[in-house]
Amino acid sequence: MTKSFEYADREIGSKEVSYAVSNVVIGLGILTLPASIVVATNSSDGWVSILLGGLIAIGFAWMLTRLAVRFPKQSYRDIAASLTNRPTANVLTLSFAFYTFLYVSYEVRGVSSISKLYLFDRTPVEAICFVFLLVLVYGVSGPSISLLRLNLLFFPIILLILTAVLALSAGDFDYERLKPFFVTPFPKLLIAAKETAFSFLGFEILLFYNLFVNRPKKLGKAVFIGMLMPTLVYLLVFLFVVGVFSTEVVANTLFPLAELAKQVEVPGGFFERFESVFFAVWVMSLYCTAVMAFDVTLIALQSVFPKASRMSLIFLLTPFVFLVAMQPTNLQEIRLFSEWISYLGIIVAWVFPAFLLIAAKARRVKPDA
């Protein structure tokens, strides 16, 4: 059947997968990662921890991809049911839905807190949270395929503004601030790698968007590229903020990348407040991250409760997302909230699917079976 126009079908290719994985991973974590890594390591050695965290995440992404390739066009619940039984599959899927629900709540609260800090200092955080949540509801009210293709539009813009921030800060970069090298004990680097866990969460959405992948055999390469981009971006941003501010300043800064954007001066004075442009664009990234996590929550719930309509679930969940997002009272509690979500995400979205892959191998389930 000939398509009437490009992207008229309800399937995604390798490019959409790579962009979606990169965009969902590069979210709120990039703003806080440099500070948490610098605190946990000595000098600029945190780049080793980021690299270790990236390699571990890529390893799990490879396992999840191998699992998805064995069950093309099937949801996570169907995959789990094929390898275990229906009750176990329902529990695993509902656990995943609970994790992504908390993930959405955290993203909503994070966006609201940062927006109040840098953009809307006189607006109550509850109001910012409510408005952002309404935009999320509008996004998930449409089909999932539209959200995935939104990444094709937003991600190049996000990379462009990030490149601009780094390039315009290059004049303040001092190589000497990165010294001395390799002064952190290896066990400490491993512990610091734990701090990167939340920053690399997100690629597990492929277990649910596997339904839309038109070429499962190319999924592995697409996910690898999708994970490689955030790893390189994290490394580059970390080295840049340390090279510009020094480790002492980064350790005492809540959002080092935001501060880097704040001090950028565009030649010719074309933009007096470049950070406003940076945040406006970065909200696109945070929106994509949150809306895809919300969408995965709905897909997971509908796979367990097929009679529930999408809109009913949206109206049921939205008030709870708002209430959970408002529970942390300060930035310290928001950070603690993210840590607990990280632990839950690693168990539910990384370890459990890895066990399913082992079960698939034990049962000799072949790709494209």
Side-chain angles (χ1 to χ4, degrees):
M1 180 179 177
T2 304
K3 291 188 294 185
S4 57
F5 59 90
E6 193 177 10
Y7 302 134
D9 55 16
R10 296 179 61 81
E11 295 183 337
I12 55 172
S14 301
K15 189 176 180 182
E16 286 97 329
V17 172
S18 296
Y19 278 33
V21 169
S22 293
N23 217 359
V24 77
V25 171
I26 301 175
L28 204 56
I30 194 172
L31 300 176
T32 58
L33 182 65
S36 59
I37 289 294
V38 160
V39 169
T41 57
N42 301 330
S43 188
S44 63
D45 290 345
W47 70 269
V48 180
S49 299
I50 295 174
L51 187 61
L52 286 173
L55 291 175
I56 293 171
I58 289 173
F60 274 102
W62 177 83
M63 286 190 279
L64 268 60
T65 303
R66 301 314 303 165
L67 178 65
V69 167
R70 280 175 162 76
F71 299 90
K73 304 288 183 185
Q74 293 189 40
S75 70
Y76 180 57
R77 192 259 180 191
D78 295 334
I79 294 172
S82 300
L83 297 171
T84 57
N85 52 55
R86 285 189 176 183
T88 304
N90 289 341
V91 170
L92 293 178
T93 308
L94 289 176
S95 302
F96 206 112
F98 180 63
Y99 151 63
T100 49
F101 165 80
L102 293 179
Y103 193 100
V104 177
S105 302
Y106 169 73
E107 289 288 328
V108 169
R109 180 54 190 271
V111 171
S112 306
S113 298
I114 293 177
S115 298
K116 179 176 176 57
L117 190 62
Y118 288 99
L119 295 175
F120 311 112
D121 57 333
R122 296 181 181 179
T123 306
V125 69
E126 291 85 357
I128 302 172
C129 177
F130 181 71
V131 172
F132 186 72
L133 196 52
L134 288 180
V135 183
L136 283 186
V137 169
Y138 175 76
V140 294
S141 299
S144 302
I145 204 76
S146 302
L147 301 178
L148 289 169
R149 286 180 178 147
L150 200 61
N151 294 296
L152 296 178
L153 174 67
F154 285 175
F155 193 61
I157 300 174
I158 292 163
L159 284 184
L160 180 66
I161 198 70
L162 184 61
T163 304
V165 169
L166 298 183
L168 293 170
S169 305
D172 299 321
F173 184 88
D174 187 352
Y175 175 76
E176 294 297 324
R177 295 193 182 107
L178 300 178
K179 294 180 179 179
F181 302 118
F182 303 111
V183 292
T184 307
F186 189 71
K188 202 172 179 181
L189 291 174
L190 282 178
I191 295 172
K194 177 179 70 67
E195 298 290 333
T196 66
F198 187 81
S199 300
F200 285 105
L201 283 171
F203 62 83
E204 54 274 5
I205 61 168
L206 68 92
L207 289 172
F208 290 88
Y209 289 139
N210 184 45
L211 286 166
F212 309 112
V213 176
N214 58 10
R215 295 178 181 174
K217 290 183 178 178
K218 294 188 176 181
L219 186 63
K221 182 181 178 182
V223 172
F224 176 74
I225 294 172
M227 289 301 296
L228 189 61
M229 283 194 279
T231 305
L232 295 176
V233 166
Y234 287 159
L235 284 172
L236 200 58
V237 167
F238 176 79
L239 293 174
F240 243 86
V241 295
V242 172
V244 172
F245 295 126
S246 78
T247 52
E248 292 78 10
V249 174
V250 172
N252 292 286
T253 305
L254 285 174
F255 307 111
L257 179 59
E259 293 299 325
L260 192 67
K262 200 172 179 179
Q263 74 165 23
V264 164
E265 293 183 4
V266 179
F270 189 70
F271 286 115
E272 291 187 358
R273 294 189 62 186
F274 186 76
E275 75 273 16
S276 301
V277 181
F278 170 79
F279 276 109
V281 172
W282 209 256
V283 168
M284 294 180 186
S285 174
L286 300 177
Y287 174 76
C288 288
T289 302
V291 80
M292 284 191 286
F294 202 168
D295 187 51
V296 166
T297 307
L298 297 173
I299 295 173
L301 290 175
Q302 279 193 300
S303 65
V304 178
F305 307 107
K307 293 184 179 180
S309 73
R310 187 178 176 89
M311 291 307 300
S312 298
L313 291 174
I314 291 172
F315 288 126
L316 178 66
L317 290 178
T318 300
F320 290 102
V321 171
F322 181 83
L323 290 174
V324 173
M326 287 296 102
Q327 292 311 304
T329 56
N330 51 51
L331 291 173
Q332 182 60 32
E333 290 187 7
I334 294 174
R335 186 172 181 177
L336 188 62
F337 187 30
S338 75
E339 286 184 14
W340 282 108
I341 295 174
S342 301
Y343 297 139
L344 179 64
I346 290 171
I347 294 171
V348 169
W350 291 11
V351 176
F352 285 174
F355 278 120
L356 290 178
L357 175 64
I358 294 172
K361 284 183 174 292
R363 293 189 177 189
R364 300 179 184 278
V365 178
K366 300 293 183 183
D368 295 327

